[in-house]
Amino acid sequence: MNEKVHAYKDQISHLEEKLPEVVHAYHRFTGECFQAGSLDEKTKQLIALGIGLFANNEVCTFYHVDEARSKGASDQEIMETIAVAAAVGGGHALSQGVTRVQNALQ
């Protein structure tokens, strides 16, 4: 698991050599987004985990599990995040099926 996250970090450092301002801007942006605000840091990491799962992004999934744990998320909270992501993914397919597909069939 950590090998993939480390590989990503190695590759982002190579990108930073070529496009330092892009990488720095990305890190400033994401750093700001994950700061505690109305939502605490743990909740933000759980949201990111759910999105990573929905997007089928393996590196983000591993990274945000680790980050959520480091912010105090329990295994149960992480597993409930998986359930919510599954519900959203299933709901997405269903909602598209009853709207787009049914319209296409008419």
Side-chain angles (χ1 to χ4, degrees):
M1 173 170 80
N2 288 329
E3 292 174 21
K4 294 194 183 234
V5 173
H6 290 307
Y8 164 76
K9 289 180 179 182
D10 288 343
Q11 293 303 315
I12 199 87
S13 69
H14 293 300
L15 178 63
E16 184 176 17
E17 292 169 8
K18 297 187 182 343
L19 299 169
E21 289 307 313
V22 171
V23 172
H24 295 165
Y26 175 75
H27 285 140
R28 283 191 305 273
F29 173 69
T30 58
E32 185 63 29
C33 290
F34 282 93
Q35 291 295 313
S38 295
L39 297 173
D40 62 40
E41 292 176 336
K42 176 179 78 171
T43 300
K44 289 182 176 189
Q45 290 298 328
L46 292 170
I47 291 167
L49 172 59
I51 293 168
L53 288 166
F54 184 80
N56 196 28
N57 186 321
E58 185 177 34
V59 172
C60 279
T61 299
F62 293 147
Y63 178 81
H64 291 294
V65 165
D66 285 344
E67 286 297 306
R69 277 189 161 158
S70 78
K71 304 299 183 204
S74 68
D75 289 353
Q76 184 65 30
E77 289 171 316
I78 291 168
M79 296 307 290
E80 286 183 22
T81 299
I82 292 168
V84 171
V88 170
H92 174 72
L94 182 63
S95 69
Q96 296 309 301
V98 300
T99 57
R100 288 184 188 175
V101 173
Q102 288 188 111
N103 285 339
L105 294 174
Q106 295 176 358

XYZ file of all heavy atoms in Angstrom:
812
model
N 0.826 -1.178 0.000
C 0.000 0.000 0.000
C 0.877 1.250 0.000
O 0.736 2.105 -0.865
C -0.922 -0.010 1.218
C -1.700 1.251 1.413
S -2.968 1.136 2.672
C -2.041 1.340 4.146
N 1.780 1.353 0.942
C 2.612 2.537 1.023
C 3.549 2.680 -0.157
O 3.978 3.787 -0.469
C 3.403 2.547 2.331
C 2.511 2.824 3.528
O 1.519 3.535 3.402
N 2.849 2.268 4.667
N 3.880 1.580 -0.826
C 4.740 1.639 -2.011
C 4.110 2.521 -3.086
O 4.806 3.306 -3.729
C 4.997 0.240 -2.571
C 5.847 -0.631 -1.684
C 5.954 -2.051 -2.215
O 5.720 -2.282 -3.407
O 6.283 -2.934 -1.403
N 2.816 2.394 -3.292
C 2.135 3.182 -4.317
C 2.089 4.657 -3.933
O 2.262 5.521 -4.783
C 0.746 2.637 -4.579
C 0.813 1.253 -5.194
C -0.486 0.814 -5.763
C -0.309 -0.599 -6.275
N -0.684 -0.750 -7.626
N 1.875 4.938 -2.674
C 1.866 6.328 -2.220
C 3.273 6.913 -2.354
O 3.437 8.041 -2.835
C 1.349 6.446 -0.770
C 1.503 7.866 -0.243
C -0.114 5.992 -0.691
N 4.287 6.133 -1.988
C 5.667 6.607 -2.123
C 6.028 6.815 -3.592
O 6.715 7.790 -3.918
C 6.642 5.641 -1.465
C 6.559 5.624 0.027
N 6.654 6.758 0.803
C 6.377 4.605 0.893
C 6.535 6.443 2.071
N 6.357 5.144 2.162
N 5.567 5.932 -4.458
C 5.828 6.090 -5.898
C 5.203 7.382 -6.410
O 5.822 8.120 -7.191
C 5.299 4.893 -6.671
N 3.987 7.677 -5.958
C 3.333 8.928 -6.350
C 4.169 10.124 -5.887
O 4.410 11.063 -6.648
C 1.922 9.010 -5.765
C 1.352 10.407 -5.801
C 0.882 10.951 -6.989
C 1.330 11.197 -4.661
C 0.374 12.249 -7.038
C 0.832 12.490 -4.693
C 0.358 13.009 -5.877
O -0.117 14.292 -5.927
N 4.602 10.093 -4.643
C 5.379 11.206 -4.100
C 6.697 11.375 -4.851
O 7.145 12.505 -5.091
C 5.611 11.023 -2.603
C 4.328 11.230 -1.796
C 4.554 11.047 -0.311
C 3.260 11.282 0.445
N 3.425 11.164 1.888
N 7.317 10.263 -5.249
C 8.538 10.345 -6.062
C 8.241 10.994 -7.406
O 8.999 11.849 -7.875
C 9.137 8.951 -6.290
C 9.779 8.371 -5.052
O 10.065 9.138 -4.097
O 9.983 7.141 -5.020
N 7.149 10.586 -8.018
C 6.807 11.135 -9.336
C 6.417 12.607 -9.252
O 6.744 13.386 -10.151
C 5.687 10.315 -9.983
C 6.109 8.902 -10.354
C 7.312 8.878 -11.289
O 7.393 9.624 -12.250
N 8.271 8.013 -10.977
N 5.743 13.007 -8.193
C 5.371 14.417 -8.062
C 6.631 15.262 -7.879
O 6.698 16.398 -8.356
C 4.327 14.651 -6.944
C 3.616 15.991 -7.125
C 4.923 14.620 -5.572
C 2.438 15.956 -7.996
N 7.659 14.700 -7.237
C 8.908 15.454 -7.086
C 9.586 15.648 -8.434
O 10.207 16.687 -8.679
C 9.846 14.788 -6.083
O 10.343 13.576 -6.586
N 9.441 14.674 -9.341
C 9.984 14.835 -10.700
C 9.217 15.916 -11.454
O 9.812 16.704 -12.193
C 9.945 13.515 -11.470
C 10.863 12.468 -10.906
N 12.227 12.640 -10.815
C 10.601 11.249 -10.399
C 12.773 11.567 -10.270
N 11.798 10.708 -10.003
N 7.905 15.950 -11.276
C 7.108 17.001 -11.903
C 7.500 18.363 -11.337
O 7.587 19.352 -12.070
C 5.616 16.741 -11.698
C 4.665 17.794 -12.277
C 4.810 17.866 -13.796
C 3.234 17.473 -11.888
N 7.782 18.392 -10.050
C 8.165 19.650 -9.401
C 9.450 20.217 -10.009
O 9.613 21.435 -10.109
C 8.342 19.422 -7.905
C 8.634 20.675 -7.132
C 8.713 20.427 -5.638
O 8.859 19.262 -5.211
O 8.614 21.407 -4.898
N 10.358 19.332 -10.446
C 11.587 19.793 -11.094
C 11.279 20.533 -12.397
O 11.956 21.494 -12.744
C 12.504 18.606 -11.388
C 13.074 17.950 -10.152
C 13.764 16.631 -10.445
O 13.946 16.279 -11.644
O 14.126 15.932 -9.477
N 10.253 20.097 -13.100
C 9.906 20.681 -14.392
C 8.886 21.814 -14.283
O 8.946 22.780 -15.028
C 9.379 19.597 -15.322
C 10.420 18.528 -15.636
C 9.924 17.574 -16.680
C 10.855 16.458 -17.021
N 12.227 16.516 -16.682
N 7.941 21.683 -13.349
C 6.872 22.670 -13.184
C 6.714 23.029 -11.705
O 5.685 22.738 -11.089
C 5.550 22.122 -13.738
C 5.521 21.778 -15.224
C 4.249 21.005 -15.569
C 5.610 23.039 -16.061
N 7.710 23.666 -11.129
C 7.655 23.908 -9.677
C 6.466 24.752 -9.234
O 5.867 24.457 -8.196
C 8.984 24.617 -9.380
C 9.456 25.144 -10.687
C 8.910 24.211 -11.736
N 6.110 25.762 -9.987
C 4.997 26.617 -9.563
C 3.668 25.870 -9.594
O 2.801 26.115 -8.754
C 4.941 27.888 -10.405
C 6.083 28.849 -10.106
C 6.207 29.187 -8.622
O 5.179 29.502 -7.987
O 7.335 29.135 -8.097
N 3.491 24.969 -10.539
C 2.261 24.182 -10.612
C 2.149 23.280 -9.389
O 1.104 23.227 -8.732
C 2.203 23.349 -11.918
C 1.051 22.359 -11.897
C 2.106 24.262 -13.131
N 3.230 22.581 -9.071
C 3.213 21.673 -7.921
C 3.038 22.463 -6.624
O 2.242 22.076 -5.760
C 4.486 20.804 -7.890
C 4.570 19.989 -6.601
C 4.521 19.878 -9.101
N 3.731 23.583 -6.492
C 3.585 24.381 -5.267
C 2.172 24.936 -5.134
O 1.608 24.938 -4.028
C 4.613 25.510 -5.251
C 6.020 25.024 -5.174
N 7.104 25.824 -5.435
C 6.544 23.806 -4.871
C 8.209 25.133 -5.296
N 7.903 23.905 -4.958
N 1.598 25.385 -6.244
C 0.224 25.901 -6.200
C -0.755 24.797 -5.809
O -1.677 25.020 -5.017
C -0.160 26.504 -7.553
N -0.555 23.598 -6.359
C -1.421 22.469 -6.014
C -1.321 22.165 -4.518
O -2.340 21.983 -3.839
C -1.059 21.236 -6.846
C -1.834 20.011 -6.437
C -3.171 19.869 -6.784
C -1.240 19.013 -5.671
C -3.902 18.757 -6.382
C -1.961 17.901 -5.275
C -3.282 17.776 -5.628
O -3.992 16.678 -5.221
N -0.108 22.108 -3.994
C 0.074 21.800 -2.575
C -0.496 22.896 -1.674
O -1.074 22.591 -0.623
C 1.549 21.541 -2.258
C 2.024 20.212 -2.738
N 3.255 20.022 -3.306
C 1.438 19.002 -2.756
C 3.401 18.752 -3.648
N 2.300 18.114 -3.323
N -0.344 24.157 -2.073
C -0.958 25.237 -1.287
C -2.478 25.098 -1.294
O -3.128 25.234 -0.257
C -0.554 26.603 -1.845
C 0.845 27.037 -1.470
C 1.119 28.494 -1.818
N 0.878 28.822 -3.206
C 1.760 28.699 -4.202
N 2.974 28.248 -3.952
N 1.439 29.044 -5.435
N -3.039 24.824 -2.477
C -4.490 24.686 -2.609
C -5.011 23.524 -1.766
O -5.934 23.687 -0.960
C -4.861 24.491 -4.082
C -6.308 24.166 -4.310
C -7.288 25.121 -4.088
C -6.685 22.909 -4.748
C -8.633 24.826 -4.302
C -8.020 22.604 -4.960
C -8.992 23.559 -4.735
N -4.423 22.343 -1.945
C -4.926 21.190 -1.204
C -4.662 21.346 0.287
O -5.493 20.947 1.113
C -4.335 19.859 -1.717
O -2.906 19.908 -1.631
C -4.770 19.578 -3.136
N -3.525 21.924 0.649
C -3.240 22.162 2.062
C -4.297 23.037 2.704
O -4.762 22.761 3.817
N -4.701 24.070 2.003
C -5.747 24.958 2.513
C -7.089 24.224 2.600
O -7.821 24.374 3.580
C -5.871 26.193 1.616
C -6.846 27.221 2.116
C -6.474 27.847 3.451
O -5.273 27.946 3.766
O -7.405 28.229 4.188
N -7.407 23.438 1.601
C -8.688 22.723 1.574
C -8.823 21.728 2.721
O -9.927 21.505 3.216
C -8.861 21.986 0.245
S -9.125 23.077 -1.159
N -7.720 21.136 3.145
C -7.766 20.119 4.182
C -7.569 20.668 5.594
O -7.581 19.911 6.560
C -6.763 18.993 3.887
C -7.266 18.038 2.845
C -6.955 18.215 1.504
C -8.076 16.970 3.192
C -7.430 17.347 0.536
C -8.561 16.089 2.236
C -8.242 16.280 0.905
N -7.423 21.981 5.723
C -7.337 22.594 7.055
C -8.709 22.523 7.725
O -9.742 22.586 7.063
C -6.909 24.058 6.943
C -5.488 24.251 6.488
C -4.487 23.710 7.477
O -4.574 23.953 8.676
N -3.526 22.954 6.967
N -8.691 22.431 9.039
C -9.950 22.450 9.784
C -10.655 23.776 9.553
O -10.032 24.826 9.485
C -9.684 22.247 11.269
N -11.938 23.690 9.385
C -12.792 24.862 9.233
C -14.126 24.491 9.851
O -14.171 23.970 10.964
N -15.193 24.683 9.099
C -16.500 24.220 9.575
C -16.511 22.706 9.688
O -17.212 22.148 10.534
C -17.604 24.686 8.624
O -17.694 26.095 8.640
N -15.739 22.048 8.836
C -15.530 20.601 8.936
C -14.155 20.348 9.540
O -13.185 21.030 9.186
C -15.583 19.935 7.548
C -16.899 20.024 6.790
C -16.733 19.472 5.376
C -17.989 19.269 7.529
N -14.066 19.352 10.411
C -12.762 19.037 10.987
C -11.914 18.258 9.977
O -12.409 17.786 8.954
C -12.909 18.292 12.319
C -13.617 16.951 12.183
O -13.373 16.211 11.211
O -14.429 16.633 13.070
N -10.627 18.139 10.270
C -9.696 17.487 9.349
C -10.041 16.017 9.107
O -9.893 15.516 8.003
C -8.270 17.623 9.862
C -7.767 19.048 9.821
C -6.386 19.212 10.421
O -5.976 18.373 11.263
O -5.705 20.178 10.037
N -10.485 15.330 10.143
C -10.851 13.914 9.991
C -12.001 13.769 9.003
O -11.942 12.929 8.097
C -11.246 13.308 11.344
C -11.720 11.858 11.234
C -12.087 11.283 12.581
C -13.438 11.767 13.025
N -13.925 11.064 14.238
N -13.025 14.579 9.138
C -14.181 14.517 8.242
C -13.752 14.791 6.809
O -14.191 14.111 5.877
C -15.261 15.510 8.691
O -15.665 15.170 10.030
C -16.464 15.490 7.769
N -12.879 15.770 6.627
C -12.406 16.082 5.275
C -11.637 14.907 4.670
O -11.783 14.604 3.481
C -11.557 17.342 5.297
C -12.396 18.590 5.558
C -11.559 19.850 5.540
C -12.451 21.070 5.711
N -11.725 22.325 5.487
N -10.858 14.215 5.486
C -10.130 13.045 4.979
C -11.092 11.911 4.629
O -10.887 11.211 3.630
C -9.073 12.584 5.993
C -7.907 13.529 6.121
C -7.126 13.696 4.830
O -7.025 12.781 4.020
N -6.552 14.875 4.638
N -12.142 11.735 5.413
C -13.135 10.704 5.100
C -13.884 11.041 3.810
O -14.158 10.158 2.994
C -14.099 10.516 6.272
C -13.476 9.902 7.535
C -14.449 9.975 8.700
C -13.000 8.482 7.288
N -14.194 12.310 3.593
C -14.824 12.730 2.335
C -13.890 12.413 1.177
O -14.314 11.861 0.142
C -15.189 14.229 2.376
C -16.326 14.476 3.359
C -15.545 14.743 0.980
C -16.546 15.951 3.687
N -12.618 12.771 1.334
C -11.641 12.515 0.269
C -11.511 11.017 -0.011
O -11.385 10.603 -1.175
C -10.291 13.114 0.643
N -11.565 10.214 1.028
C -11.526 8.762 0.846
C -12.716 8.293 0.016
O -12.559 7.515 -0.929
C -11.501 8.055 2.202
C -11.656 6.532 2.167
C -10.550 5.875 1.339
C -11.701 5.984 3.583
N -13.903 8.767 0.346
C -15.095 8.378 -0.411
C -14.986 8.779 -1.876
O -15.331 8.004 -2.770
N -14.493 9.982 -2.128
C -14.326 10.432 -3.512
C -13.263 9.604 -4.219
O -13.440 9.219 -5.383
C -13.987 11.935 -3.552
C -15.189 12.752 -3.066
C -13.557 12.369 -4.951
C -14.876 14.206 -2.786
N -12.171 9.313 -3.526
C -11.125 8.467 -4.107
C -11.647 7.095 -4.494
O -11.315 6.560 -5.559
N -12.489 6.530 -3.640
C -13.099 5.227 -3.965
C -14.017 5.345 -5.179
O -13.963 4.520 -6.088
C -13.888 4.698 -2.763
C -13.058 4.210 -1.586
C -13.933 4.053 -0.357
C -12.342 2.923 -1.933
N -14.860 6.372 -5.180
C -15.794 6.571 -6.287
C -15.049 6.778 -7.601
O -15.454 6.267 -8.640
C -16.707 7.766 -5.989
C -17.759 7.980 -7.026
C -18.907 7.210 -7.031
C -17.607 8.956 -8.000
C -19.891 7.403 -7.991
C -18.587 9.159 -8.955
C -19.732 8.383 -8.951
N -13.925 7.487 -7.536
C -13.130 7.758 -8.735
C -12.211 6.589 -9.103
O -11.512 6.656 -10.116
C -12.294 9.024 -8.526
N -12.202 5.548 -8.278
C -11.352 4.380 -8.493
C -9.875 4.773 -8.533
O -9.105 4.284 -9.348
C -11.752 3.620 -9.764
C -11.169 2.224 -9.800
O -10.912 1.614 -8.769
N -10.914 1.719 -10.997
N -9.491 5.677 -7.620
C -8.116 6.153 -7.547
C -7.425 5.422 -6.399
O -7.609 5.759 -5.224
C -8.096 7.670 -7.328
C -6.710 8.232 -7.387
O -5.756 7.646 -6.904
N -6.589 9.403 -7.983
N -6.615 4.436 -6.760
C -5.983 3.574 -5.768
C -5.036 4.347 -4.849
O -5.060 4.165 -3.630
C -5.222 2.456 -6.487
C -4.628 1.427 -5.577
C -3.954 0.304 -6.331
O -3.377 0.546 -7.424
O -3.992 -0.825 -5.827
N -4.215 5.216 -5.408
C -3.271 5.968 -4.589
C -4.017 6.855 -3.594
O -3.681 6.899 -2.410
C -2.306 6.801 -5.465
C -1.467 7.734 -4.619
C -1.409 5.877 -6.282
N -5.054 7.558 -4.063
C -5.836 8.411 -3.153
C -6.514 7.583 -2.070
O -6.596 8.017 -0.921
C -6.877 9.216 -3.922
S -6.193 10.676 -4.708
N -6.987 6.415 -2.427
C -7.631 5.553 -1.436
C -6.648 5.220 -0.327
O -6.938 5.410 0.859
C -8.160 4.271 -2.098
O -9.126 4.625 -3.092
C -8.791 3.339 -1.075
N -5.464 4.731 -0.678
C -4.463 4.392 0.333
C -4.050 5.621 1.141
O -3.974 5.578 2.367
C -3.217 3.784 -0.315
C -3.450 2.436 -0.940
C -2.738 2.066 -2.069
C -4.350 1.531 -0.408
C -2.923 0.820 -2.646
C -4.552 0.286 -0.983
C -3.822 -0.070 -2.100
N -3.789 6.714 0.442
C -3.332 7.937 1.101
C -4.362 8.448 2.107
O -4.022 8.764 3.250
C -3.031 9.010 0.053
C -2.591 10.313 0.656
C -1.274 10.494 1.064
C -3.493 11.351 0.837
C -0.865 11.691 1.644
C -3.086 12.554 1.415
C -1.770 12.709 1.807
O -1.378 13.896 2.381
N -5.627 8.504 1.699
C -6.639 9.089 2.571
C -7.056 8.157 3.703
O -7.508 8.638 4.743
C -7.826 9.607 1.766
C -7.443 10.801 0.942
N -7.088 12.008 1.503
C -7.318 10.956 -0.398
C -6.780 12.849 0.545
N -6.899 12.241 -0.615
N -6.885 6.847 3.552
C -7.072 5.948 4.707
C -6.024 6.296 5.757
O -6.350 6.472 6.936
C -6.982 4.460 4.300
C -6.801 3.568 5.528
C -8.212 4.029 3.533
N -4.767 6.411 5.339
C -3.702 6.755 6.286
C -3.939 8.118 6.920
O -3.771 8.288 8.136
C -2.338 6.746 5.585
C -1.821 5.350 5.313
O -2.328 4.377 5.905
O -0.891 5.233 4.489
N -4.316 9.092 6.104
C -4.546 10.440 6.628
C -5.745 10.471 7.580
O -5.702 11.137 8.612
C -4.744 11.430 5.487
C -3.466 11.780 4.759
C -2.454 12.482 5.653
O -2.812 13.515 6.268
O -1.315 11.999 5.746
N -6.814 9.762 7.230
C -7.985 9.727 8.104
C -7.613 9.110 9.454
O -8.000 9.626 10.505
C -9.126 8.949 7.444
N -6.848 8.028 9.414
C -6.402 7.406 10.665
C -5.548 8.370 11.481
O -5.688 8.452 12.695
C -5.613 6.143 10.382
C -6.465 4.940 10.156
C -5.598 3.720 10.111
N -6.412 2.546 10.330
C -6.052 1.348 9.955
N -4.897 1.171 9.344
N -6.836 0.328 10.185
N -4.657 9.091 10.797
C -3.790 10.022 11.523
C -4.577 11.173 12.149
O -4.096 11.807 13.087
C -2.689 10.572 10.603
O -3.185 11.585 9.750
N -5.774 11.431 11.622
C -6.635 12.484 12.167
C -7.636 11.922 13.173
O -8.533 12.626 13.622
C -7.396 13.205 11.053
C -6.524 13.789 9.969
C -5.556 14.821 10.498
C -4.761 15.416 9.352
N -3.494 15.964 9.743
N -7.510 10.626 13.503
C -8.338 10.040 14.553
C -9.503 9.193 14.086
O -10.314 8.774 14.903
N -9.614 8.927 12.790
C -10.724 8.101 12.299
C -10.551 6.659 12.759
O -9.455 6.095 12.693
C -10.803 8.154 10.777
N -11.633 6.083 13.202
C -11.626 4.676 13.604
C -11.827 3.792 12.377
O -12.263 4.262 11.313
C -12.756 4.413 14.605
O -14.023 4.541 13.954
N -11.520 2.520 12.525
C -11.783 1.572 11.439
C -13.267 1.575 11.073
O -13.628 1.482 9.905
C -11.337 0.158 11.827
C -9.825 0.012 11.884
O -9.097 0.967 11.506
O -9.360 -1.059 12.322
N -14.135 1.689 12.085
C -15.577 1.712 11.828
C -15.956 2.932 10.987
O -16.753 2.826 10.055
C -16.367 1.696 13.140
C -17.865 1.619 12.950
C -18.322 0.311 12.311
O -17.695 -0.740 12.476
N -19.411 0.361 11.567
N -15.409 4.092 11.308
C -15.711 5.298 10.516
C -15.221 5.144 9.082
O -15.907 5.556 8.137
C -15.069 6.529 11.162
C -15.747 6.946 12.447
C -14.986 8.013 13.199
O -13.737 7.915 13.322
O -15.656 8.966 13.670
N -14.065 4.536 8.909
C -13.530 4.304 7.563
C -14.433 3.344 6.802
O -14.759 3.578 5.631
C -12.070 3.818 7.641
C -11.188 4.974 8.122
C -11.594 3.254 6.306
C -9.782 4.586 8.520
N -14.880 2.283 7.461
C -15.759 1.322 6.790
C -17.115 1.948 6.451
O -17.690 1.671 5.399
C -15.924 0.070 7.647
C -14.624 -0.715 7.850
S -13.761 -1.137 6.306
C -14.884 -2.346 5.632
N -17.632 2.806 7.313
C -18.889 3.497 7.001
C -18.706 4.446 5.821
O -19.627 4.621 5.012
C -19.402 4.246 8.233
C -19.979 3.310 9.274
C -20.573 4.035 10.472
O -20.921 5.233 10.366
O -20.686 3.383 11.532
N -17.525 5.026 5.690
C -17.228 5.856 4.534
C -17.299 5.036 3.254
O -17.833 5.495 2.228
C -15.835 6.509 4.683
O -15.844 7.328 5.846
C -15.456 7.322 3.467
N -16.813 3.812 3.304
C -16.900 2.911 2.149
C -18.368 2.655 1.800
O -18.746 2.683 0.629
C -16.174 1.578 2.437
C -14.673 1.813 2.550
C -16.480 0.538 1.360
C -13.912 0.629 3.104
N -19.180 2.426 2.812
C -20.599 2.169 2.566
C -21.274 3.372 1.913
O -22.064 3.219 0.979
C -21.306 1.800 3.877
N -20.939 4.573 2.389
C -21.525 5.783 1.797
C -21.070 5.930 0.346
O -21.880 6.232 -0.539
C -21.181 7.031 2.630
C -21.586 8.306 1.904
C -21.862 6.956 3.995
N -19.790 5.694 0.083
C -19.288 5.776 -1.298
C -19.990 4.759 -2.193
O -20.332 5.058 -3.343
C -17.775 5.557 -1.323
N -20.236 3.566 -1.664
C -20.956 2.549 -2.434
C -22.390 2.981 -2.712
O -22.910 2.785 -3.827
C -20.946 1.217 -1.682
N -23.034 3.581 -1.728
C -24.409 4.056 -1.926
C -24.457 5.158 -2.970
O -25.339 5.173 -3.842
C -24.981 4.557 -0.600
N -23.501 6.080 -2.909
C -23.457 7.164 -3.896
C -23.171 6.602 -5.286
O -23.805 6.996 -6.265
C -22.403 8.222 -3.502
C -22.163 9.215 -4.622
C -22.840 8.943 -2.235
N -22.242 5.649 -5.378
C -21.925 5.040 -6.671
C -23.112 4.303 -7.261
O -23.426 4.440 -8.449
N -23.805 3.551 -6.434
C -25.000 2.853 -6.903
C -26.113 3.812 -7.254
O -26.804 3.648 -8.264
N -26.277 4.841 -6.433
C -27.288 5.857 -6.707
C -27.000 6.611 -7.988
O -27.920 6.972 -8.734
N -25.733 6.839 -8.262
C -25.348 7.519 -9.497
C -25.786 6.701 -10.714
O -26.409 7.230 -11.636
C -23.833 7.735 -9.515
C -23.317 8.296 -10.785
N -23.534 9.592 -11.168
C -22.604 7.716 -11.778
C -22.964 9.793 -12.347
N -22.392 8.675 -12.728
N -25.463 5.423 -10.712
C -25.851 4.566 -11.835
C -27.371 4.485 -11.957
O -27.918 4.558 -13.066
C -25.258 3.164 -11.660
N -28.055 4.352 -10.838
C -29.510 4.264 -10.870
C -30.129 5.562 -11.381
O -31.021 5.545 -12.238
C -30.053 3.928 -9.480
C -31.575 3.766 -9.390
C -32.046 2.591 -10.255
C -31.985 3.580 -7.949
N -29.655 6.695 -10.882
C -30.246 7.968 -11.307
C -30.021 8.203 -12.798
O -30.904 8.732 -13.485
C -29.683 9.133 -10.487
O -28.321 9.372 -10.795
N -28.868 7.811 -13.306
C -28.616 7.965 -14.740
C -29.479 7.001 -15.546
O -29.952 7.334 -16.630
C -27.134 7.756 -15.054
C -26.239 8.797 -14.424
C -26.684 10.215 -14.710
O -26.781 10.624 -15.856
N -26.975 10.959 -13.655
N -29.681 5.820 -14.989
C -30.524 4.836 -15.677
C -31.977 5.290 -15.798
O -32.614 5.105 -16.841
N -32.498 5.908 -14.749
C -33.906 6.307 -14.795
C -34.104 7.636 -15.497
O -35.235 7.990 -15.802
C -34.569 6.333 -13.394
C -34.504 4.956 -12.753
C -33.953 7.386 -12.489
N -33.041 8.345 -15.762
C -33.189 9.616 -16.487
C -32.653 9.495 -17.906
O -33.423 9.419 -18.860
C -32.499 10.781 -15.732
O -31.111 10.467 -15.518
C -33.162 11.040 -14.404
N -31.368 9.420 -18.055
C -30.753 9.399 -19.388
C -31.194 8.200 -20.231
O -31.569 8.347 -21.392
C -29.243 9.375 -19.276
C -28.640 10.641 -18.831
C -27.140 10.512 -18.867
N -26.506 11.680 -18.267
C -25.209 11.781 -18.074
N -24.416 10.787 -18.408
N -24.714 12.867 -17.540
N -31.081 7.010 -19.635
C -31.380 5.806 -20.419
C -32.861 5.771 -20.810
O -33.199 5.494 -21.956
C -30.955 4.527 -19.657
C -31.416 3.281 -20.400
C -29.446 4.513 -19.468
N -33.729 6.069 -19.861
C -35.155 6.057 -20.205
C -35.475 7.121 -21.271
O -36.294 6.877 -22.168
C -36.025 6.258 -18.965
C -36.008 4.998 -18.080
C -36.998 5.077 -16.956
O -37.987 4.336 -16.985
N -36.767 5.936 -15.977
N -34.829 8.274 -21.201
C -35.016 9.277 -22.249
C -34.513 8.773 -23.592
O -35.126 9.032 -24.629
C -34.302 10.586 -21.882
C -35.042 11.361 -20.817
O -36.229 11.166 -20.608
N -34.327 12.234 -20.129
N -33.391 8.043 -23.582
C -32.859 7.496 -24.821
C -33.765 6.436 -25.427
O -33.808 6.258 -26.645
C -31.466 6.911 -24.579
N -34.509 5.749 -24.584
C -35.398 4.692 -25.064
C -36.690 5.244 -25.664
O -37.415 4.520 -26.352
C -35.737 3.719 -23.922
C -34.574 2.909 -23.384
C -35.008 2.110 -22.165
C -33.974 2.004 -24.458
N -36.983 6.487 -25.421
C -38.245 7.059 -25.932
C -38.115 7.486 -27.366
O -37.192 7.861 -27.902
C -38.669 8.246 -25.070
C -39.004 7.786 -23.679
C -39.350 8.975 -22.752
O -39.314 10.122 -23.116
N -39.666 8.635 -21.520
